[in-house]
């Protein structure tokens, strides 16, 4: 049973690594999508800014046409003023000229404000266009990195899966079934017992069970969390047997 427990412990390490790799593999495309969404949003904003500028320019041109027609009206009023026959007509023509003059000066002020606003919009648009270009370059670099990392991770995961399957093939079928079922429910299926305590649920293991664990002749499970348990001395012994000073590899229980 010792050999099976060691295999299970190794299998679990491969599974944990694979889970890590698969999680990262799943997260990276999402990260890229977020970056691209940001670019898309910025492109939309820039598009709206550009449309706003076009509208402002169209409006400015229409105001300038209005100004021209007002100026023409003033010229007409002046002619009228020269042709007046009496004081009443003179007063009326005079008033008309004044009204139009006031209108012209208001229009001129408005047009100056529009020109200033358009100039400011143009500058802001130029800055934002540069920003977007920089973001494009940045995202392109990130994308390249992410795609390279995905390739790398896929290769590592493939290798890990091969190793995992080699180990899994050496575990008896009935034990694999139990391992799979516990893993599904608990995540961690195989845990060490350290100082009489299950490292999965941190509950004390009954003394009788601890003795069985020391012998490692049967597959035991924790009475509280139902995980497969082994004595923590198992890894040390196995490492010593292989001539190593320290147990190999990290255990998920520490
Ligand atoms: Zn337990």
């Amino acid at each position: 049973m010792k050999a099976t427990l060691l295999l299970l412990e190794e299998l679990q390490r491969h599974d944990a690594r694979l889970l890590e790799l698969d999680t990262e593999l799943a997260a990276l495309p999402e990260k890229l999508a977020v970056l691209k969404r940001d670019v898309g949003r910025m492109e939309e904003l820039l598009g709206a800014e550009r449309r706003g500028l076009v509208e402002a320019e169209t409006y400015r041109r229409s105001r300038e046409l209005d100004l021209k027609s007002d100026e023409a009206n003033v010229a007409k009023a002046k002619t009228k003023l020269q042709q007046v026959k009496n004081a009443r007509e003179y007063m009326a023509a005079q008033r008309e000229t004044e009204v139009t003059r006031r209108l012209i000066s208001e229009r001129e002020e408005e047009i100056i404000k529009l020109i200033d606003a358009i100039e400011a919009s143009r500058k802001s648009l130029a800055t934002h266009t540069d920003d977007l270009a920089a973001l494009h370059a940045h995202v392109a670099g990130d994308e390249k990195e992410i795609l390279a990392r995905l390739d790398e991770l896929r290769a590592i995961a493939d290798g890990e899966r091969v190793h995992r399957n080699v180990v899994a093939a050496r575990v008896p079928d009935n034990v694999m079934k139990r391992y799979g079922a516990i893993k599904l429910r608990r995540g961690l299926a195989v845990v060490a017992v350290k100082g009489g305590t299950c490292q999965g649920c941190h509950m004390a293991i009954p003394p009788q069970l601890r003795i069985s664990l020391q012998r490692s002749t049967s597959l035991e499970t924790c009475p509280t969390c139902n995980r497969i348990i082994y004595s923590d001395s198992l890894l040390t012994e196995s490492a010593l047997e292989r001539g190593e000073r320290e147990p190999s590899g990290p255990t998920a229980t520490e």
Side-chain angles (χ1 to χ4, degrees):
M1 195 48 66
K2 251 187 198 177
T4 304
L5 281 168
L6 286 169
L7 283 172
L8 280 178
E9 197 274 332
E10 192 184 344
L11 178 68
Q12 181 163 268
R13 263 187 283 134
H14 285 304
D15 279 340
R17 180 82 183 111
L18 274 170
L19 182 66
E20 249 177 55
L21 290 164
D22 287 342
T23 307
E24 201 179 343
L25 275 167
L28 282 174
E30 181 51 30
K31 196 177 159 189
L32 188 60
V34 168
L35 288 171
K36 288 192 166 174
R37 268 202 294 276
D38 283 347
V39 172
R41 257 198 295 273
M42 212 164 151
E43 275 168 348
E44 269 173 36
L45 286 174
L46 202 66
E49 215 177 323
R50 209 168 273 138
R51 282 192 298 277
L53 187 62
V54 170
E55 274 169 27
E57 273 169 343
T58 309
Y59 183 67
R60 192 201 72 188
R61 272 195 294 276
S62 83
R63 298 278 87 175
E64 280 169 349
L65 287 176
D66 288 346
L67 181 67
K68 272 196 185 116
S69 86
D70 288 340
E71 281 165 352
N73 284 342
V74 170
K76 254 185 244 161
K78 265 184 192 161
T79 320
K80 227 186 252 175
L81 210 54
Q82 283 157 10
Q83 293 162 353
V84 289
K85 295 179 182 86
N86 55 47
R88 202 169 52 84
E89 273 185 28
Y90 180 83
M91 295 287 280
Q94 185 84 321
R95 207 176 305 122
E96 202 188 323
T97 314
E98 265 169 37
V99 169
T100 315
R101 279 218 178 97
R102 209 176 307 130
L103 207 64
I104 286 176
S105 100
E106 276 168 19
R107 285 216 201 286
E108 279 172 346
E109 265 174 47
E110 193 192 356
I111 289 170
I112 288 170
K113 275 183 196 152
L114 281 172
I115 289 172
D116 285 348
I118 287 169
E119 193 47 40
S121 296
R122 249 196 218 112
K123 271 185 193 151
S124 149
L125 185 65
T127 308
H128 292 159
T129 306
D130 287 349
D131 288 349
L132 182 63
L135 185 68
H136 266 300
H138 179 76
V139 170
D142 278 359
E143 180 172 15
K144 211 174 147 192
E145 259 174 44
I146 287 173
L147 294 179
R149 179 75 182 141
L150 278 172
D151 280 348
E152 185 189 13
L153 284 175
R154 276 191 204 110
I156 296 172
D158 286 349
E160 193 68 38
R161 207 161 274 124
V162 169
H163 282 124
R164 186 249 176 227
N165 290 341
V166 167
V167 176
R170 289 169 62 198
V171 177
D173 283 351
N174 61 330
V175 178
M176 264 316 282
K177 263 186 202 134
R178 275 175 79 176
Y179 170 85
I182 304 168
K183 182 168 166 272
L184 212 61
R185 280 203 315 273
R186 302 273 181 187
L188 213 57
V190 194
V191 293
V193 168
K194 218 171 176 180
T197 307
C198 164
Q199 297 300 294
C201 64
H202 301 285
M203 297 300 283
I205 297 297
Q208 195 57 44
L209 188 51
R210 286 171 69 179
I211 294 165
S212 307
L213 279 182
Q214 292 298 328
R215 284 200 295 265
S216 295
T217 48
S218 51
L219 196 70
E220 302 291 352
T221 52
C222 167
T224 310
C225 67
N226 284 316
R227 290 183 174 96
I228 298 167
I229 45 177
Y230 60 88
S231 165
D232 70 329
S233 59
L234 184 77
L235 292 181
T236 325
E237 283 167 22
S238 128
L240 286 174
E241 277 164 22
R242 289 199 307 269
E244 291 168 17
R245 279 188 174 182
E246 296 291 331
S248 70
T251 67
T253 58
E254 281 175 2

